[in-house]
Amino acid sequence: MSIAWPFAESDTEPVSIELTSDGFPPAIHPAEASLFCRQSAMPGHNQDAIERAHVAVVGAGGLGSWIALGLARMGVRRLTLIDPDRFDRTNAPRQLMFGPDMGVFKAHALARNVLPHMTNAGSIRAIAAPFTDTLLAGTDNVSLLIVGIDNNRGRLEAAHWGRARRIPVVFSMLSADGLRC
């Protein structure tokens, strides 16, 4: 595991970490089915495009944690997780987090929890900072942005960011009033 600087102002935890995975073991015998043979058999499916994609997920909570897990299992080799919040006990029923993750940055805990699920060799970068402080500074070769946050200001910033770079932005959200800012 490599750790990138700078440290968060309030403590000694790094803002950004990058973890790597070797993925699932290779087939033991040439007659053994390919790991992705079922999804590759679907018309229009492009496993190579999925594996080449760099997907950034904004929000590592109730939506983003499960989205990240699905992407890792589908074969995405490069994930970036962005969330400035820390995991607390009220998050436990709906997020891919565990007891030892209490008080840890959600992005960091989620990266560690998703890593063993990566079916392909790849990396997960976890950034514990607001979206505007991270991706807006540079594109970092992101090919798809998935936004699973509960505030319209962040959603709007993500939409502007993606549109300016001609990068698709997918929104997945829940809000009681639909207008939280």
Side-chain angles (χ1 to χ4, degrees):
M1 170 178 71
S2 63
I3 298 179
W5 296 87
F7 284 113
E9 291 179 20
S10 62
D11 50 40
T12 58
E13 285 186 82
V15 171
S16 175
I17 63 171
E18 185 149 348
L19 309 174
T20 58
S21 170
D22 294 331
F24 277 34
I28 297 171
H29 189 274
E32 190 175 344
S34 160
L35 193 60
F36 301 107
C37 68
R38 290 187 181 196
Q39 51 195 75
S40 294
M42 294 171 46
H45 180 82
N46 186 340
Q47 187 63 35
D48 290 335
I50 290 172
E51 293 179 12
R52 282 192 315 269
H54 175 187
V55 182
V57 179
V58 180
L63 297 171
S65 63
W66 302 109
I67 290 168
L69 176 67
L71 291 168
R73 297 205 58 89
M74 285 175 56
V76 171
R77 293 180 182 270
R78 215 165 145 214
L79 280 172
T80 297
L81 308 174
I82 304 163
D83 196 315
D85 296 337
R86 292 178 182 271
F87 179 65
D88 69 56
R89 65 183 305 103
T90 65
N91 303 137
R94 26 177 231 292
Q95 298 178 12
L96 182 62
M97 305 287 180
F98 303 99
D101 298 328
M102 294 285 286
V104 175
F105 285 123
K106 287 181 180 180
H108 295 182
L110 181 59
R112 288 185 198 98
N113 295 340
V114 165
L115 193 69
H117 293 275
M118 290 190 78
T119 52
N120 276 326
S123 65
I124 302 176
R125 181 176 180 207
I127 303 171
F131 173 72
T132 53
D133 296 348
T134 58
L135 286 178
L136 290 179
T139 63
D140 197 30
N141 300 318
V142 170
S143 50
L144 174 66
L145 184 65
I146 300 178
V147 182
I149 56 175
D150 62 0
N151 71 78
N152 285 333
R153 182 175 299 132
R155 293 174 188 146
L156 184 60
E157 290 166 351
H160 285 292
W161 185 88
R163 184 169 182 184
R165 289 159 184 79
R166 296 180 171 253
I167 295 170
V169 180
V170 176
F171 295 91
S172 176
M173 60 194 118
L174 297 172
S175 292
D177 60 6
L179 300 173
R180 272 178 78 179
C181 289

